[in-house]
Amino acid sequence: MVQKTLDDLFLAQLKDIYYAEKKIYRTLPKMAKATKVPELKQAFTAHREETQGHVERLEQVFEMIGKRAQTKPCEAINGIIAEGEETIEDFGETAAIDTGLVAAGQAVEHYEMARYGALIAWAKQLGMSKAAALLNETLQEEMKADKLLTEIGATKVDKMATAKMAA
Amino acid sequence: MVQKTLDDLFLAQLKDIYYAEKKIYRTLPKMAKATKVPELKQAFTAHREETQGHVERLEQVFEMIGKRAQTKPCEAINGIIAEGEETIEDFGETAAIDTGLVAAGQAVEHYEMARYGALIAWAKQLGMSKAAALLNETLQEEMKADKLLTEIGATKVDKMATAKMAA
């Protein structure tokens, strides 16, 4: 049996995030639909377009390492998204829904940041600087998306959620 | 039916992270056991002690809001930890295991950072500055743990994983 090394781990993680990105792409419209805050709707919609780009970058990385682009079910993203859907179910028609959606989106972004951070470090160690640069473009977009959610949460959303309580 | 607001969301999320912290507490010994890198073993062991403190802080916050400390199954952390266990299964006896464990630990930390970030913002909005300060102590420790994992990954671990490939 061949001893598994970092390139096996890299490939396993690549399949994991490839699955995650595709799942996120399918989920973002539900999140956009669940909010009435225009800025948040717009953020989810725009991030969906970016996510399509993330999927394509991953396909380029698969090509670079001479492997077929393949998903591997990612229980982590399934769990994170299931919680987001639960938030929509439980808070869908309440004043807190948008706050919940911001938090759900941020949980997704943070998961991705952790995974891309690791992939980039491994790509560099494996001498794949072009793959590292490509993955870093995605990481930057995930970080920007997270920051935008924080801003929207602080300026556009939370006042609506607390307004009722102050009333 | 009473309209749900931010305090309901806060309570739901508090139960979620309470479950997550308890699960992490039970999982960290498995991670410590799976590595042979002393610094990584020590990091997981020390973080387990911190995690006990995180559980206790959450119990204090439950008390502050006059609610019984109660868990709510957190599918996200279950998924993230299941992936970590899969890494141990798939790479347990290989040179890449420690790299995989660092990444698994960071995925956990990032999830927690996202959740605590939201809880702190909501506590502030709800006028619970004492709870916010308490949760922020935990957030700082999670961020420190993540940073330590990055350092260990870069200096103590990755060279071992790639050594075989260079040989």
Side-chain angles (χ1 to χ4, degrees), chain B residues 4 16 33-34 39 45 52 56 58 79 95 99 130 135 138 161:
Chain B
K4 284 185 185 178
D16 174 287
K33 201 181 155 203
E39 291 83 355
T45 306
Q52 178 59 36
E56 285 162 16
L58 291 172
T99 311
K130 235 181 127 179
L135 295 166
T138 296

Side-chain angles (χ1 to χ4, degrees), chain B:
Chain B
M1 210 180 99
V2 180
Q3 167 78 321
K4 284 185 185 178
T5 49
L6 189 59
D7 44 4
D8 299 302
L9 190 61
F10 181 84
L11 179 61
Q13 198 73 99
L14 203 64
K15 290 177 182 173
D16 174 287
I17 194 77
Y18 188 52
Y19 175 97
E21 291 281 19
K22 287 188 162 201
K23 174 111 182 187
I24 293 162
Y25 183 78
R26 288 195 308 274
T27 305
L28 279 164
K30 287 184 220 172
M31 299 179 73
K33 201 181 155 203
T35 179
K36 287 189 182 70
V37 176
E39 291 83 355
L40 191 53
K41 202 181 274 291
Q42 166 60 17
F44 288 141
T45 306
H47 192 55
R48 188 179 193 228
E49 271 172 56
E50 278 182 348
T51 301
Q52 178 59 36
H54 302 172
V55 168
E56 285 162 16
R57 281 193 199 117
L58 291 172
E59 287 164 356
Q60 284 179 260
V61 175
F62 276 110
E63 212 181 306
M64 282 175 188
I65 60 172
K67 301 279 181 190
R68 192 165 62 86
Q70 214 176 355
T71 60
K72 177 173 167 286
C74 165
E75 291 183 57
I77 204 70
N78 284 342
I80 292 167
I81 285 175
E83 285 196 2
E85 286 170 345
E86 206 183 304
T87 299
I88 295 175
E89 254 173 57
D90 291 353
F91 291 89
E93 298 303 317
T94 76
I97 180 60
D98 303 305
T99 311
L101 286 169
V102 165
Q106 289 187 308
V108 170
E109 293 312 315
H110 272 261
Y111 178 74
E112 293 191 284
M113 288 190 284
R115 290 309 188 203
Y116 278 108
L119 278 170
I120 292 164
W122 300 345
K124 283 179 186 165
Q125 285 163 50
L126 294 168
M128 303 187 295
S129 57
K130 235 181 127 179
L134 213 52
L135 295 166
N136 189 48
E137 283 179 43
T138 296
L139 175 61
Q140 295 310 315
E141 288 178 1
E142 308 291 11
M143 290 169 74
K144 240 179 80 188
D146 179 60
K147 221 172 145 186
L148 179 61
L149 286 174
T150 305
E151 275 171 33
I152 292 174
T155 58
K156 305 289 176 191
V157 165
D158 292 332
K159 281 176 195 73
M160 300 177 64
T162 44
K164 213 199 138 278
M165 309 192 71

Side-chain angles (χ1 to χ4, degrees), chain A residues 21 54 57 109 112-118 120 132-145:
Chain A
E21 291 282 18
H54 302 172
R57 281 194 198 118
E109 293 313 314
E112 293 191 283
M113 290 191 284
R115 290 308 188 205
Y116 278 109
I120 292 164
L134 213 52
L135 295 167
N136 190 47
E137 282 178 43
T138 297
L139 176 60
Q140 297 308 316
E141 288 178 3
E142 308 292 11
M143 287 168 76
K144 238 180 79 188

Side-chain angles (χ1 to χ4, degrees), chain A residues 102 106 145-155 158:
Chain A
V102 166
Q106 289 188 308
D146 178 60
K147 220 173 146 185
L148 179 61
L149 286 174
T150 305
E151 273 170 34
I152 293 174
T155 58
D158 291 331

Side-chain angles (χ1 to χ4, degrees), chain A residues 2-166:
Chain A
V2 181
Q3 167 76 319
K4 284 186 184 177
T5 50
L6 188 58
D7 45 3
D8 298 303
L9 190 61
F10 181 83
L11 179 61
Q13 198 74 96
L14 202 65
K15 290 178 182 174
D16 173 287
I17 194 77
Y18 187 51
Y19 175 98
E21 291 282 18
K22 287 188 161 200
K23 173 109 184 191
I24 293 163
Y25 183 78
R26 290 196 307 276
T27 304
L28 280 164
K30 287 183 220 173
M31 295 177 75
K33 202 182 154 203
T35 179
K36 287 189 181 73
V37 176
E39 290 85 354
L40 190 53
K41 205 182 272 293
Q42 166 60 18
F44 287 141
T45 306
H47 193 56
R48 188 178 193 229
E49 272 173 55
E50 279 182 348
T51 301
Q52 178 58 37
H54 302 172
V55 168
E56 285 162 16
R57 281 194 198 118
L58 291 173
E59 286 163 357
Q60 284 180 260
V61 176
F62 277 110
E63 213 181 306
M64 283 176 188
I65 59 172
K67 300 280 181 189
R68 191 164 63 86
Q70 214 177 354
T71 59
K72 176 173 167 288
C74 166
E75 292 183 58
I77 204 70
N78 285 342
I80 292 167
I81 284 174
E83 284 197 3
E85 285 170 346
E86 206 183 303
T87 298
I88 295 176
E89 254 175 60
D90 292 353
F91 291 89
E93 297 304 317
T94 76
I97 181 60
D98 304 303
T99 311
L101 286 169
V102 166
Q106 289 188 308
V108 171
E109 293 313 314
H110 272 261
Y111 178 73
E112 293 191 283
M113 290 191 284
R115 290 308 188 205
Y116 278 109
L119 278 170
I120 292 164
W122 301 344
K124 284 181 186 165
Q125 284 164 49
L126 294 168
M128 303 189 293
S129 58
K130 235 182 127 178
L134 213 52
L135 295 167
N136 190 47
E137 282 178 43
T138 297
L139 176 60
Q140 297 308 316
E141 288 178 3
E142 308 292 11
M143 287 168 76
K144 238 180 79 188
D146 178 60
K147 220 173 146 185
L148 179 61
L149 286 174
T150 305
E151 273 170 34
I152 293 174
T155 58
K156 305 289 176 192
V157 166
D158 291 331
K159 281 175 194 74
M160 299 177 64
T162 42
K164 212 201 138 274
M165 309 192 70

